[in-house]
Amino acid sequence: MKIKSLSLVLCMLMLCATSQAWAREVTLNFKNADIRAFIEFVSGFSGKNFLVDNRVKGKVTIISPTPISEDHAYDVFLSVLEVNGFAAVPSGSVIKIVPRAESKQKSLPILKSSKGNHNDAMVTQVIRLKYADAQQLVALIRPLISPNSHLVAYPRGNMLLLTDSASNIQRIQYILNLLDRKDAVGVQLFTLKYASADKLATTLTTLYGAAGAPAAAAGRAGGVKAIAHQPGNMLIVIGAPQIINEVAGVIEKLDIAPESDSGRLQVRYLKHANAEDVAKVLNELVGGQSSSETNSGQRKALFTGNVKVVADKATNALLITADPSDIKSVGRIIDRLDIRRRQVLVEALIVEVSGNAIQRFGVEWMAAGGNAVGVQNFKNLGPISKAVADNANAAPPVSTSAALASAAPTGLTLGIVNKALSIGALLHALESDNDANVLSTPNLLTMDNEEAEIVVGKNVPFLTGQNVTQGGTANPFQTIERKDVGLTLRVTPQISDGDSVRLEIYQEISSVDGGTAAEGGIITSKRSIKTVVLANDGQMIVLGGLMRDDNASKVQRVPCIGAIPILGEPFKFTENQTTKTNLMVFLKPHIIKNGKQIEEITDHKYIDIKDIYEQPVEGGTVIFQQQKKQLPENMKPFSPVNNSNVGAKPPAQ
C-alpha cells in the first residue's frame, strides 16, 4: 500500500514538472510590431533588464505558428536585432540595445572557443593559427564578415582578432581549420614604394635562403624565395607563413624613402661671423683630410662622406652639402665659430713739442752793385744797391736806412749809407724763440683680431719721372705718384685671457718740409713706430718717443780785421740756432664686452664734440646776425645713462 502511494506521488510530481515546462514555451507571432514593444515582450518572459538606445527604432514581423522555448525565443530576439542593425551588449545587471556598428567598441564578451555558441550575439574571439599566415588569411576572411564587424591580424603572434556574431565566428573558425594546415605555403605580394624590387629580392633570397639563415637558426623549416615583378615594382614572397611575417617586417624597414638632395643640403645663416672666413676654414679642414686617433692607434676620419661648404656673401650664409651625420658635425663646428666677438677701442695720444731758438748779432756790409766788402747777409738789398750805383741822385740816406731796416727780419737794425762811397752797413741784433705744440688723439674701434687703420693728412704728388721728347718729337709728359702725408695709425688687437690685449701697432707721422721739382723733389720728414705690445684693459702705456736737440753756430766776418779782438766786432756777424724736438706716443686700449659699454663711450665722445662745435662765436652785427651751430638732430645717440645731455629719443619699436 505504501509502495502504491509513493508511485502516485512521483507521478504527480512528474506531471507538475511537465506542466511547468509546457508553461515556459513562447509563441512568437508578430506583424509590423514596434521593436520597442517586442523588446518589452522579451523582457517580460526572460526577466532581463534592457537599456534601449534612443536610436533603436523599427518594425518587427515574426511568423511562428508553433510555440518555442524561452531560450530559443531569446536567440530569435538576438537575430531580430541583427536583422534590424542592432546588438545586445551585456553590461552588469542590464543589457544595452545599441546600433550594431558601435557594439564592437563596447565591453563585448571575449570567447576562447566558439563551440556551442550558435546565436547572433556580438562577441570577440582571438584565433591563433599554427601554420597559415594570419595577414594572408585576412584578405580571404574579410568578405565573409559583416560591414559592422571587425577583423585584424597580429603578425608577431600569427593571430586573428575577430569581432562578429557568435554564429558567424563559428563558421569562420571552421573555414580556418581547413586552411591552417601543416603543409601550407604562404604567398604574399608586396607593392614597393621606394626600394627596387630586383635589389630587394636578391637581398631577401641571400638573407633567408642560405644555410644558417635566421629562419634555420630559429629552428623553422623551409626557406624564402623572393621574386621581383616588373613593371609595377612588386615583390612576390613565397615561404612558410611564420617566416613571411618576419620577411614583411624586414621589407617594411628596407622600403623607405631615400635621402633627397634637400636632406643633404643645409643653409646656415650666420649671426656674427663672416661667411667667407668660416667657409675657408671649413674647406681647409675637409680638404686636409684631418682625422682623429682612437685608443687603438687607428686613424678615424672626422667626416664619413664628402663635405662641401660654399659662402654666400650677399646673405652672409653658408651652403653645406654633406651626409646628415656630417651636417650635424659641421653644424657643431659652426656654432663654435659663429659667436659674438668682443671689440677694442684704442685711444692714442700723440704729443709733439718743437722749439726753435735763434740768436743773431753783428754788422753787415754791402757795396754798390752787390759787391761785398764785409758780410753778404742782406736778403733784399739788390734794388737798393743797384739804385746807388746807377744814379748819383739816389734815394736819401733815410730812405735807404728804412730799406735796410725792412731787409732785416726782426730785431734791432741800424742802417748807414754813404752816398759818395755807395757803401751800406747794417747793425743786426736778434733773439727769438718759436714753440710749436702738436697734439693728436686718434681713436680706433675694431673687432678682436681685425686690423683697423686711420689716416689723417694730405695726398701729396711726387714727381717720379719726366720726358721732353719721344722719337725726336716734342712730347713733354711727367709721371706722378701720390702718397699720403700726415698721421697714420694702424692697429690689430687680440684679446687674451685675463682681459689683456695684444696690440700690433704701426704709427707714422710725416710732413712736407719743402723742396721743389727743380731742386730734385719734395722733402718730407717721417717719424714712425712699428711694435707689438701687451696692455691690460684701460691701461695707458707709452709706445715710444723722440727727444732731439739740434745746435748750429755760424760766424761770418771781414778777413783780417774781423779777427782782431774787440776791434773786429763791428766787422763780423754771429748766429746761434738751437732746435729741440720732443715726440711721445701714448696708447690706451678699452675692451668692449657688450652694447651698453659702446653706448656709454659714444655718448661721452658725442657730448665732447657737441660742446666744441656748438660753442658760440663772438661777433655779429645788426645786419649779419651771429650764427648758431648745432649738430643734426637725427644723429644724436640715445643714452639711458645721460638722456638730458644728449637729448635724443629712442627709436620707435
Side-chain angles (χ1 to χ4, degrees):
M1 191 68 184
K2 290 181 179 180
I3 295 175
K4 291 182 178 180
S5 60
L6 181 60
S7 299
L8 182 61
V9 172
L10 291 175
C11 290
M12 293 181 65
L13 290 175
M14 291 177 63
L15 289 174
C16 292
T18 304
S19 62
Q20 289 179 359
W22 291 340
R24 295 181 62 180
E25 292 181 346
V26 179
T27 301
L28 301 177
N29 194 0
F30 297 93
K31 184 177 181 180
N32 292 330
D34 185 72
I35 192 172
R36 289 179 173 268
F38 179 65
I39 294 173
E40 184 177 357
F41 172 77
V42 174
S43 176
F45 72 78
S46 64
K48 299 180 182 294
N49 302 321
F50 294 101
L51 179 62
V52 183
D53 192 282
N54 294 330
R55 292 169 290 181
V56 177
K57 297 178 182 179
K59 300 294 183 178
V60 176
T61 299
I62 302 175
I63 301 174
S64 177
T66 58
I68 58 176
S69 65
E70 292 183 355
D71 294 337
H72 290 168
Y74 190 79
D75 292 340
V76 173
F77 168 68
L78 296 178
S79 300
V80 170
L81 293 180
E82 181 189 13
V83 171
N84 288 271
F86 303 108
V89 180
S91 178
S93 60
V94 298
I95 298 175
K96 299 178 182 179
I97 309 298
V98 296
R100 201 171 188 85
E102 298 181 3
S103 62
K104 58 187 176 182
Q105 301 174 357
K106 305 297 182 180
S107 57
L108 295 175
I110 300 176
L111 304 180
K112 295 182 179 180
S113 175
S114 60
K115 295 180 180 180
N117 296 325
H118 305 287
N119 56 22
D120 292 329
M122 289 289 289
V123 295
T124 299
Q125 186 169 350
V126 178
I127 303 174
R128 183 183 295 274
L129 302 176
K130 296 181 179 180
Y131 309 105
D133 182 20
Q135 287 184 322
Q136 188 176 7
L137 292 180
V138 167
L140 180 63
I141 301 301
R142 190 175 297 278
L144 302 179
I145 64 177
S146 63
N148 297 327
S149 301
H150 180 67
L151 174 63
V152 65
Y154 181 60
R156 186 177 296 273
N158 199 31
M159 294 182 291
L160 292 174
L161 178 64
L162 180 60
T163 299
D164 201 351
S165 61
S167 58
N168 195 33
I169 290 178
Q170 185 180 20
R171 179 172 67 95
I172 291 174
Q173 193 168 11
Y174 176 76
I175 296 174
L176 292 177
N177 291 334
L178 298 177
L179 298 176
D180 190 19
R181 297 169 57 90
K182 187 175 182 180
D183 56 350
V185 177
V187 179
Q188 191 165 354
L189 179 65
F190 298 92
T191 302
L192 304 179
K193 296 181 179 179
Y194 308 106
S196 172
D198 296 331
K199 294 182 179 180
L200 194 56
T202 304
T203 302
L204 294 176
T205 303
T206 304
L207 181 62
Y208 289 94
R220 307 174 201 166
V224 173
K225 185 176 182 181
I227 303 172
H229 176 69
Q230 298 291 354
N233 197 33
M234 292 183 290
L235 186 67
I236 303 173
V237 180
I238 304 173
Q242 59 270 27
I243 301 179
I244 290 182
N245 294 335
E246 183 178 333
V247 173
V250 175
I251 294 175
E252 183 180 359
K253 293 180 180 180
L254 296 179
D255 188 25
I256 58 177
E259 296 178 357
S260 60
D261 292 339
S262 59
R264 288 177 48 84
L265 175 63
Q266 185 181 25
V267 180
R268 286 287 302 267
Y269 294 94
L270 303 184
K271 299 179 181 178
H272 309 288
N274 183 273
E276 293 182 339
D277 296 339
V278 175
K280 182 179 179 182
V281 172
L282 292 176
N283 287 325
E284 288 181 357
L285 181 64
V286 175
Q289 298 181 355
S290 300
S291 59
S292 59
E293 187 171 352
T294 60
N295 295 331
S296 59
Q298 298 178 352
R299 306 294 291 180
K300 182 180 179 182
L302 294 178
F303 305 106
T304 58
N306 295 328
V307 179
K308 185 177 181 181
V309 182
V310 179
D312 182 24
K313 184 178 180 180
T315 58
N316 195 38
L318 294 176
L319 283 73
I320 308 169
T321 56
D323 294 336
S325 59
D326 291 337
I327 285 182
K328 293 181 180 179
S329 301
V330 174
R332 288 192 291 267
I333 297 175
I334 294 175
D335 293 338
R336 297 286 184 89
L337 297 177
D338 187 23
I339 60 175
R340 179 184 176 91
R341 296 163 60 185
R342 290 183 288 180
Q343 303 181 82
V344 178
L345 175 66
V346 180
E347 293 182 315
L349 177 63
I350 303 173
V351 182
E352 184 176 8
V353 181
S354 62
N356 189 2
I358 302 175
Q359 293 179 344
R360 294 175 180 174
F361 183 81
V363 179
E364 299 175 306
W365 299 88
M366 180 68 68
N371 297 321
V373 296
V375 181
Q376 300 184 47
N377 194 51
F378 297 121
K379 304 294 190 303
N380 301 316
L381 291 184
I384 301 174
S385 302
K386 190 175 183 298
V388 174
D390 296 343
N391 190 357
N393 298 323
V398 177
S399 301
T400 305
S401 301
L404 291 173
S406 64
T410 122
L412 176 61
T413 304
L414 178 60
I416 302 174
V417 176
N418 189 301
K419 180 177 181 181
L421 299 177
S422 297
I423 296 176
L426 175 64
L427 176 62
H428 188 184
L430 171 65
E431 182 177 1
S432 65
D433 289 328
N434 296 328
D435 293 331
N437 298 332
V438 179
L439 176 64
S440 299
T441 57
N443 295 341
L444 280 176
L445 178 64
T446 182
M447 297 182 65
D448 185 22
N449 282 324
E450 294 291 341
E451 182 183 276
E453 181 182 21
I454 183 172
V455 178
V456 181
K458 299 180 180 180
N459 193 255
V460 180
F462 290 85
L463 183 64
T464 58
Q466 62 181 354
N467 193 2
V468 179
T469 61
Q470 185 176 6
T473 305
N475 185 20
F477 70 90
Q478 294 179 338
T479 57
I480 295 176
E481 180 183 1
R482 291 186 173 272
K483 295 183 179 180
D484 294 329
V485 176
L487 172 65
T488 302
L489 178 62
R490 191 180 303 120
V491 181
T492 303
Q494 181 181 4
I495 302 175
S496 304
D497 191 16
D499 288 343
S500 60
V501 184
R502 180 181 181 271
L503 298 165
E504 296 182 5
I505 304 168
Y506 176 78
Q507 186 269 328
E508 176 185 315
I509 300 175
S510 58
S511 61
V512 177
D513 287 350
T516 61
E519 297 175 351
I522 299 176
I523 301 174
T524 59
S525 61
K526 175 181 176 181
R527 286 87 72 197
S528 64
I529 297 175
K530 183 178 181 181
T531 183
V532 179
V533 298
L534 187 66
N536 294 329
D537 182 17
Q539 178 185 12
M540 176 174 283
I541 59 175
V542 58
L543 298 183
L546 172 66
M547 296 184 180
R548 177 178 176 182
D549 290 342
D550 294 333
N551 297 319
S553 179
K554 182 173 62 175
V555 178
Q556 293 175 322
R557 58 192 173 186
V558 177
C560 296
I561 192 172
I564 301 174
I566 300 175
L567 295 178
E569 292 297 328
F571 300 95
K572 67 179 180 180
F573 178 82
T574 303
E575 180 179 359
N576 295 326
Q577 183 174 358
T578 302
T579 302
K580 290 187 177 182
T581 303
N582 295 330
L583 174 64
M584 300 296 293
V585 180
F586 301 89
L587 187 140
K588 179 192 290 186
H590 297 276
I591 299 177
I592 309 300
K593 300 179 180 179
N594 49 51
K596 183 178 180 181
Q597 290 182 334
I598 193 63
E599 287 181 1
E600 294 176 355
I601 293 174
T602 302
D603 292 341
H604 290 309
K605 297 295 182 182
Y606 182 85
I607 293 171
D608 293 341
I609 196 66
K610 178 175 180 291
D611 295 340
I612 297 174
Y613 181 80
E614 297 183 355
Q615 185 175 2
V617 180
E618 297 181 359
T621 61
V622 177
I623 299 176
F624 301 101
Q625 298 293 332
Q626 179 180 354
Q627 296 182 357
K628 295 183 179 180
K629 297 182 295 181
Q630 189 173 5
L631 292 176
E633 292 288 339
N634 59 343
M635 292 300 295
K636 290 184 177 180
F638 170 72
S639 172
V641 179
N642 196 354
N643 291 339
S644 59
N645 289 337
V646 178
K649 296 181 179 180
Q653 299 295 331

